[in-house]
Amino acid sequence: METWRDLERDLEDMREYYRHGKTKEASWRKSQLKGLLTLLKEKEGDIFKALKQDLGKHHVEAFRDEIGTLTKTVNTALESLKDWMSSKTAKLPRIALQTSAEIVPEPLGLVLIISSWNFPFGLSLEPMIGALAAGNTVVLKPSELAPACASLLANAISTYLDNKAVKVIQGGPSVGEQLLQQRWDKIFFTGSAHVGRIVMSAAVKHLTPVTLELGGKCPAVLDSLSSSWDMKVELMKNIIKEMFGENPKESHSIARIINKQHLLRLKNLLKDPHVDASIVYGGSVDEDNLFIEPTILVDPPLQAAIMTDEVFGPLLPIITLEKIEDSVQFINSRPKALAIYCFTKNKTLQRMMISETSSGSVTFNDTIIQYAADTLPFGGVGESGFGRYHGKFSFDTFSHEKAITRRSFLTDLWFRFPPWNNYKLQLLESAFNYDYLGLVLVILGLKRHRQRSAGI
Amino acid sequence: MNISMELLRNFSSVGAGASREFSYPFTRKTKQRQLSFVYLSRTSYSFKSCSATLSLTAEVEEKPKLDVDKAALLARELRKTFNSGRTTNYEWRMSQLKSIEKMLEEKENDITEALYKDLSKPGLEAFVAEISQVKSSCKLALKELSRWMIPEKVKTSLTTYPSSAEIVSEPLGVVLVISTWNFPFLLSLDPVIGAISAGNAVVLKPSEISPATSLLLSNLVEEYLDQSAIRVVEGSVDETTALLEQKWDKILYTGSARVGRIVMAAAAKHLTPVILELGGKCPSVVDSNINLQVAVRRIIYGKWACNNGQACIGVDYIITTKDFAPKLIDALRYELEQFFGKDPMESKDMSRIVSSSHFARLASLMDDDLVSDKIVLGGQRDVNQLKIAPTILLDVPEDAQIMQEEIFGPLMPILTVEKLEDSFKIIQSKPKPLAAYLFTDDEQLKKNFVQNISSGGMLINDTILHVATDGLPFGGVGESGMGSYHGKFSFDAFSHKKAVLYRSFNADASIRYPPYTTQKQRLLKAVINGDIVSLILALIGR
């Protein structure tokens, strides 16, 4: 546990290290990314164990959702780093004689990443990969609700990465508050909208830019696709049995609820008698083992908490509507979600979904998988957050794109200096319109000018 | 009681903006009250002639002040318009942009006059710095909008095979643009053009410190643009506060860091993303191996010929070597005379200070004991005309107030160092500025400068111009702000880039579903890494 003074001193050391410029070098960035790759490979077993302990996650699921995707991301970053770091030339009009313009990405400095407990490795390391690739020094605060993962991250990172540039600080809300009081060049937060507001408000003090990856009620719109809804529910029940067996609690393929507090929250969602009556499958809760079985509800009351708050648990309400197109209005009457899923072959409905709703992303005929697509930005809009990452977007999110223009002394547009007169005005007008012929005519004295008001 | 002709004549001669305290007794209905000039910016006049007394009288109609309730109503109204889909379609956006273009053509004289009233801005400066910039911004949007609106197709990999993906730009909704007084026309309309081209409804709050432009904007927007989606709210602190209580889908603020914090704090309550275009002390490092005349002209252009130093990207201070400083000062002296004549206070080509409070602030910077004996040029001031002559100070101490805050006026400190590389430490010890300038022929120095100095933007061997380049983003970093705009960056700033992934129902890889097995893990490893060879090996059981 760090004291306030220790923390401030450590952060100042990190800023000093950054100022020396080591983290800007491509070789350093590559070494850190390679370090992460080695970490993921060598600590795979320990990571699986920690996830099993904190979340009851099966190791193949852990691989699919966390280790596997992280490995892919590091490899992409290593391959693309040179390209990402290169400056981009900006186009200039012809009148900008002997001028060159480019955009140069530079690191922001010392950044803070606050991650969540549901994908404790993924949501910690995905942003970190971007931050390191962009040349920053990083402090990571993992969620205290997944303690085995947090302490593994702390140990592993101090072993595999540059200690002077990357630190993990563990703790709960009070540690979070202390960290938020410090000066950062960027804060990357994954979590709830409630805490998101606290993070952004704290960032105001130092005018720190933030990325907020929040949540929301992500809907899946299911078109008829040749079967009625009750047939679909039957199909769902069968597939659940296929995936998790007759007794899901015994299956090792399904994760637990993170802690008692969340379990009780979910249990309460089902308490309302109308909600309870709408359960068509599952519903049993085992408090001691932090287990809730996959539960399907059909048409629970819309004002119930289960339909107003983000569920974040194994309860799936199904809402039925007259026409599938009504789903657009249904979605639009609620805060913008992080993702919208839509299962349909109907191209018109697809177009409607895209152009008439707003969300972080839209995925057709699948779920979740957009998380693994490096070329698509991952982030929210409205209540689901702002800012984005994944792939090159991670690099950009932790960079400042500096605009640079270089001029020569040889040519000068002398008519942009006072003392002012009408001749200069005419030349300027032609220049701004990129009217090269007009420019020549003015110089030759062949262009008549417009009457302008006083002040010249 | 009505205002008499006499008072009207006095009023019309007041061209000096909000700096004049103008009050007069005035009766409306049966109440008597004092009005100060600030309120007049929100009033409109209707004239009545009375044949009996042969006088012209004016009745003051005060526009209703915007309070929290009215602000909420306004936001609701615009949201309704946005939700109806009106602003989203291409034709609407183009029609609004075309109207702005028309407005710039037809009202150019009115705009120039308003800028002169507010800032004594020379007509040519008004044209170059504001009107033509807005024109070219509008033109670019008109030309490129259809291209900007096309979804961007992106590649997909084995990980999501089979699939196709694109990034769709969609409007954010209802946005708020708060602008400032130094380039009141440009900094109001440029972001508004971005917001409209991205398909949003917009509320613009211009600065009350430039009231003539604020009023003109209010009238022009009402005359030329779609009132159901684009509105101007005039006023000062109260009105801005009322607006900030509402939920907006984005806020773009141009101004000081102090108010930038207030804006961001208000935005945090609604999780509203913000763009803050702030300022900073923009340094200009000057080497000795340059074409001195051209460099000095460009420096003057970037300070005194640009709103008289009142620009966020204006040159705040100069750093040069001890040896070169005298030459530089002589060149500046000479060129300043070429630009503004022997007595710059008489020159029509120099803007005045915007208000008496800013004048007082600048005067106190000059009168500071630590620097008052360091003035090597200028120092003249005229409080009635709100003019301060171009003033150069040599080797002011680091802890003087003039080196602690953004000057935003015609005072130019020159700091000297032994070697030019020492300038880097000075710049790095201050908050990151919006722009940094370097005048040199030394390629290595240029490289080091770019590598080691962080700023919003940079310009080598010139000043100001980099923001007139559409292809470059304009924005700050650190204390100078967050986010950027100009050109396509404006369109992007006011858009949400929605990720869209299309998956096919064919070929469903059951390897990602439970029950989980080691074989599935092997296959997943290959697929996630996009590694075809491993995939084949895993499939055949290796």
Side-chain angles (χ1 to χ4, degrees), chain B residues 152-372:
Chain B
E152 182 196 334
K153 287 237 173 306
V154 297
K155 280 208 300 241
T156 54
S157 67
L158 187 62
T159 317
T160 54
Y161 181 83
S163 63
S164 67
E166 59 184 7
I167 302 175
V168 171
S169 298
E170 59 178 31
L172 289 164
V174 185
V175 305
L176 174 65
V177 173
I178 303 176
S179 77
T180 185
W181 54 263
N182 57 345
F183 295 88
F185 196 71
L186 171 68
L187 299 176
S188 296
L189 280 188
D190 210 350
V192 167
I193 287 171
I196 292 173
S197 62
N200 300 281
V202 195
V203 170
L204 166 66
K205 157 78 190 60
S207 170
E208 70 280 11
I209 302 182
S210 47
T213 311
S214 173
L215 179 60
L216 179 65
L217 279 164
S218 177
N219 293 335
L220 289 181
V221 166
E222 201 176 315
E223 189 185 330
Y224 284 85
L225 300 178
D226 182 347
Q227 281 297 282
S228 71
I230 308 169
R231 295 277 260 281
V232 175
V233 172
E234 290 193 81
S236 60
V237 176
D238 291 336
E239 285 74 13
T240 309
T241 311
L243 286 171
L244 286 175
E245 298 257 314
Q246 311 310 316
K247 174 174 161 64
W248 306 98
D249 297 300
K250 187 127 188 183
I251 301 178
L252 188 148
Y253 168 78
T254 308
S256 69
R258 185 186 69 85
V259 180
R261 284 177 167 84
I262 298 173
V263 171
M264 188 172 168
K269 297 207 184 76
H270 297 287
L271 290 172
T272 299
V274 300
I275 294 181
L276 303 178
E277 297 271 330
L278 311 175
K281 291 182 79 59
C282 303
S284 178
V285 178
V286 184
D287 202 350
S288 47
N289 56 9
I290 51 169
N291 180 330
L292 187 53
Q293 186 185 48
V294 175
V296 162
R297 283 201 185 136
R298 292 175 180 178
I299 290 173
I300 296 176
Y301 162 79
K303 178 89 170 183
W304 296 285
C306 189
N307 217 22
N308 209 4
Q310 299 165 109
C312 46
I313 42 167
V315 179
D316 189 279
Y317 65 104
I318 292 175
I319 308 181
T320 190
T321 53
K322 282 193 165 51
D323 296 330
F324 195 60
K327 258 182 120 180
L328 180 59
I329 294 174
D330 281 336
L332 280 166
R333 189 178 286 128
Y334 178 78
E335 291 298 330
L336 276 168
E337 202 179 300
Q338 301 304 306
F339 278 31
F340 300 114
K342 272 211 148 42
D343 186 4
M345 301 291 270
E346 297 300 311
S347 167
K348 284 203 176 49
D349 294 330
M350 198 172 74
S351 309
R352 63 171 168 81
I353 308 305
V354 71
S355 69
S356 51
S357 61
H358 275 278
F359 184 93
R361 182 182 63 82
L362 290 163
S364 84
L365 288 181
M366 278 196 288
D367 294 337
D368 182 349
D369 286 334
L370 294 169
V371 313
S372 51

Side-chain angles (χ1 to χ4, degrees), chain A residues 64 92 106 197 205 354 357-359 362 364 366 375 400 402-403 405 407 411 416 428 452 455, chain B residues 108 123-124 155 170 261 269 298 450 453-455 458 460 462 466 469 496 498-499 501-503 512:
Chain A
R64 183 195 72 194
L92 289 173
E106 58 176 32
R197 283 177 169 84
K205 185 155 146 218
I354 298 176
T357 67
S358 180
S359 58
V362 181
F364 291 104
D366 210 326
T375 50
H400 165 54
K402 189 163 66 179
T405 312
R407 293 264 297 143
T411 52
R416 56 182 173 125
L428 282 165
R452 276 202 164 74
Chain B
E108 191 180 314
L124 221 156
K155 280 208 300 241
E170 59 178 31
R261 284 177 167 84
K269 297 207 184 76
R298 292 175 180 178
V450 171
I453 303 292
S454 183
S455 60
M458 290 190 146
I460 313 279
D462 210 329
H466 61 300
T469 310
H496 167 53
K498 187 160 72 179
L501 181 65
Y502 298 86
R503 292 265 298 157
R512 53 180 175 135

